[in-house]
Amino acid sequence: MRALIKDGTVVTASDTFAADVWIENGKIAALAAPGTQIGNADTTIDAKGKYVIPGGIDCHTHMDLPFGGTTSSDDFDTGTVAAAHGGTTTIVDFAIQQKGGAMRAGLDTWFAKAEGKAAIDYGFHMIMTEANPAALEEMAAMVREGVTSFKMFMAYPGVFLVDDQQIFRAMLRAGELGALITMHAEIGLPIDVLVQKALAAGHTAPVYHALTRPEAAESTGTERALALAEMAKVPVYMVHLSAQRALERVMEARDRGLPAYAETCPQYLFCTEDDLRGEPGGPDGEWKGAGYVCTPPLRPRHHHDHLWRGLRNYDLQVVATDHCPFCMKDQKELGRSDFSKIPNGMPGVETRLHLLWEGVREGKISMNRFVEITSTAPAKIFGMYGRKGTLAVGADADVVVWDPNREKVLSRETLHMRVDYSPFEGKRVIGAPAAVLSRGELIVADDKWVGAKKQGRGQFVRRGTFSL
Ligand code: URP
Ligand code: ZN
Ligand code: ZN
C-alpha cells in the first residue's frame, strides 16, 4: 500500500521545505523533491498550497474517566474520533491506580477501555495514588510495558492527593527506571479550606471555583515539586500549568540548569476567569460558567501573554488539552447549588490545533514552533520520538495536511466531541486539517471520517524511557 502527498510544504519542528511525502506500509518511505517519481501510488493527496505536518500528539487526555461523581463524556471511541478530526493522531491518556489497588489492575482497566474502541494510537501514563513499597516495585513492570510516565497530585485531598514523601520516593524510583514523574502542582489542603469558607459564606456559583484556587496555590506547589525533583536529581514535568508565577518557578529552575518541563493547555491561552462568571443577564446566567470549570482554574487575561511568551521562548514545552469533558446536562449540573461539586474538566481534544494556529496567524509562535509544541516535544519527552512526532523516513506516517485558509466555526453542532456545549461556541478560526493520515491510512478528509475501520484501529504505543 503506497500513498503520495504531493506538492505540499513540509513543516517540521526545525525545517520548512517543499517536498512530496511518499508513504509505504504505514511508514514514511521518502521525502522527495516535488515531482520525483518513486513508484506508483495507490492514493494521491494533493497538498498544493497546504502544509504537511506531523500528526498532533495530545499527551494529556481523560477518556472515560470516573471523576467528580460521574464519568467524562467521551470514551476512547468518540474521543479519539474527535481528536482525529482535529488533526491529532496520538493521545496519551491517564490510567489510575485505585487506592489500595495495584497499578497492574488500573492499567488493565484502561486497556479494556481503549481496546476495540480507539480510532487512533494511544499510550498511557499511570496516576499513582499511593507510592507504597509495592507500588514503587510495580513501577518497573509499568516501564517495561511502555508506560513510562506517572502522574502524582498535590491537589484533590482524599481522592488523588499524595504527600511529599511519597512524591519524593516515586521520583527516586523513576530516576532508577528512566521514568518521568508528571505533577499536578496545586496545594489541595489549603484550597479545601478556602472552598469550605466560600460555601459557608453562601458562595455557590461557578466562579468560586477559581476564587478558591488562587495562583499562589499553583506557584507554591510548582516550586515544591521542582525542589523535590532537584533533591531526587530527576527530570520533572508540570502538567496543565496555568499561571504566570508558576511559569516563573519553572523558568528559574530551567535557568539553574534543571531538567524541568511544563505543558499548558488551550483553555489557559484563550479563556479567562471571566468565563467562569457566566453570562449575567443571559439565558443561563452565571451557571454558564460551569462549562469552564477545570483545574487549575482559568486565570485573569494577563496570564495569556506570559504563557504565549513562555511557549515562544522555550520555557513551556508542550500544549496538551487535559481533555476531560462533562455535559452541562446531568453532569456539570451535579454542582448547580455547590460549585465544588461541578465535575472538573473541559472538552478540547478536537480544537487544540485550530486554536494554536491562531497563535501562528497572530505572529505569537512560528509554524515550526507550532509543530514542536503540539507534536515533536511531547513525542520526545514521552518516549515516542522517531516513531511519532516528526516527518522522517522510517517514522509512522501520522500526517496532517493543514490548510491555512480553511475556515471553521467552532460549535457543538460541528465538532465531534460527545459533549453538549463548546467553550468556544461561535468562534471562527482559519486553518484546519484538509486530510489526516494515521499510520499511512487516510482517516479524515474534508472533515469527514473516511478510514476503512474506525473503532479499534488505534494501536497501543509502547513508549520508551526518558532520554532528553
Ligand atoms: O479539570 C481537570 N483538569 N480535570 C482533569 C483532572 C486533572 O487534574 O487533570
Ligand atoms: Zn491534573
Ligand atoms: Zn488532566
Side-chain angles (χ1 to χ4, degrees):
M1 177 67 188
R2 208 176 245 189
L4 166 64
I5 304 174
K6 76 177 181 68
D7 293 332
T9 299
V10 170
V11 182
T12 68
S14 55
D15 299 300
T16 306
F17 53 96
D20 287 350
V21 180
W22 287 84
I23 294 166
E24 208 165 332
N25 300 325
K27 304 270 183 198
I28 296 180
L31 297 166
T36 310
Q37 203 53 38
I38 293 185
N40 294 319
D42 306 301
T43 312
T44 299
I45 298 165
D46 182 4
K48 201 172 178 53
K50 304 189 176 74
Y51 298 115
V52 183
I53 61 176
I57 297 176
D58 190 344
C59 58
H60 191 152
T61 67
H62 300 283
M63 307 299 174
D64 203 354
L65 171 73
F67 192 47
T70 181
T71 300
S72 60
S73 57
D74 267 320
D75 61 12
F76 278 84
D77 171 4
T78 58
T80 56
V81 168
H85 279 85
T88 286
T89 50
T90 306
I91 61 167
V92 189
D93 205 87
F94 289 82
I96 301 180
Q97 170 207 19
Q98 297 300 335
K99 276 219 162 78
M103 282 195 262
R104 176 74 258 169
L107 185 59
D108 285 345
T109 302
W110 257 261
F111 270 129
K113 286 174 189 275
E115 277 168 4
K117 281 197 165 181
I120 57 169
D121 292 352
Y122 57 92
F124 293 121
H125 313 277
M126 176 59 67
I127 288 177
M128 278 185 92
T129 54
E130 269 170 335
N132 55 29
L136 294 171
E137 187 53 41
E138 246 197 307
M139 285 171 76
M142 295 294 114
V143 169
R144 278 197 300 276
E145 268 199 65
V147 177
T148 54
S149 43
F150 299 82
K151 181 176 178 187
M152 303 189 85
F153 290 77
M154 291 174 165
Y156 307 128
V159 183
F160 292 137
L161 184 144
V162 279
D163 63 34
D164 283 6
Q165 191 178 78
Q166 294 186 64
I167 294 169
F168 189 58
R169 286 190 196 283
M171 283 179 168
L172 290 170
R173 182 71 172 137
E176 289 167 9
L177 298 169
L180 180 63
I181 298 293
T182 75
M183 287 299 308
H184 181 134
E186 285 176 300
I187 48 169
L189 291 166
I191 285 173
D192 264 15
V193 177
L194 290 179
V195 169
Q196 284 154 20
K197 277 172 72 72
L199 291 172
H203 299 314
T204 57
V207 71
Y208 284 93
H209 175 72
L211 301 180
T212 55
R213 306 183 86 91
E215 182 182 8
E218 187 181 354
S219 61
T220 303
T222 304
E223 180 158 14
R224 231 167 75 193
L226 291 165
L228 292 169
E230 182 176 1
M231 287 161 63
K233 298 186 172 54
V234 295
V236 66
Y237 178 95
M238 315 309 301
V239 293
H240 49 45
L241 187 145
S242 72
Q244 175 190 352
R245 277 162 56 193
L247 173 58
E248 285 167 358
R249 301 292 84 77
V250 174
M251 288 162 67
E252 286 158 13
R254 290 176 64 80
D255 287 349
R256 284 191 287 124
L258 297 173
Y261 304 91
E263 89 188 3
T264 190
C265 312
Q267 53 272 34
Y268 302 120
L269 295 163
F270 288 90
C271 304
T272 74
E273 187 180 282
D274 282 345
D275 289 312
L276 281 150
R277 297 182 196 281
E279 251 177 6
D284 294 320
E286 60 188 9
W287 175 245
K288 193 168 180 227
Y292 296 86
V293 167
C294 63
T295 303
L298 303 178
R299 305 292 185 188
R301 184 170 299 279
H302 74 269
H303 292 268
H304 291 187
D305 293 341
H306 294 277
L307 298 178
W308 279 111
R309 194 173 322 122
L311 288 169
R312 190 165 56 247
N313 293 348
Y314 295 81
D315 296 318
L316 286 167
Q317 287 67 49
V318 171
V319 176
T321 61
D322 198 5
H323 176 75
C324 191
F326 297 101
C327 291
M328 294 296 285
K329 187 166 164 27
D330 295 339
Q331 296 198 296
K332 293 281 186 183
E333 265 173 6
L334 293 168
R336 261 280 182 194
S337 54
D338 173 351
F339 70 89
S340 71
K341 296 200 165 57
I342 300 171
N344 291 192
M346 286 173 63
V349 77
E350 188 173 358
T351 48
R352 181 178 62 132
L353 299 191
H354 295 106
L355 290 167
L356 277 225
W357 190 258
E358 294 292 291
V360 176
R361 292 196 333 113
E362 290 167 13
K364 290 175 174 154
I365 50 171
S366 69
M367 283 194 298
N368 307 91
R369 189 74 184 132
F370 168 86
V371 168
E372 191 164 15
I373 60 184
T374 58
S375 180
T376 310
K380 286 185 177 172
I381 292 171
F382 292 110
M384 294 178 273
Y385 190 65
R387 179 169 166 200
K388 308 281 188 194
T390 194
L391 300 180
V393 173
D396 281 358
D398 294 348
V399 188
V400 174
V401 178
W402 185 263
D403 183 346
N405 299 314
R406 196 183 177 92
E407 290 193 23
K408 189 172 170 90
V409 176
L410 304 181
S411 164
R412 62 172 281 208
E413 305 298 335
T414 55
L415 294 166
H416 301 79
M417 297 174 282
R418 188 165 62 186
V419 60
D420 62 3
Y421 75 102
S422 167
F424 300 103
E425 187 65 40
K427 185 176 172 62
R428 182 171 151 270
V429 289
I430 302 177
V436 180
L437 292 88
S438 161
R439 279 178 280 102
E441 184 191 1
L442 182 64
I443 55 171
V444 174
D446 292 329
D447 215 19
K448 291 192 180 56
W449 184 274
V450 295
K453 184 178 170 194
K454 203 187 247 182
Q455 290 84 7
R457 68 167 298 290
Q459 294 178 359
F460 174 65
V461 182
R462 187 182 283 262
R463 295 182 291 116
T465 49
F466 182 83
S467 64
L468 278 183

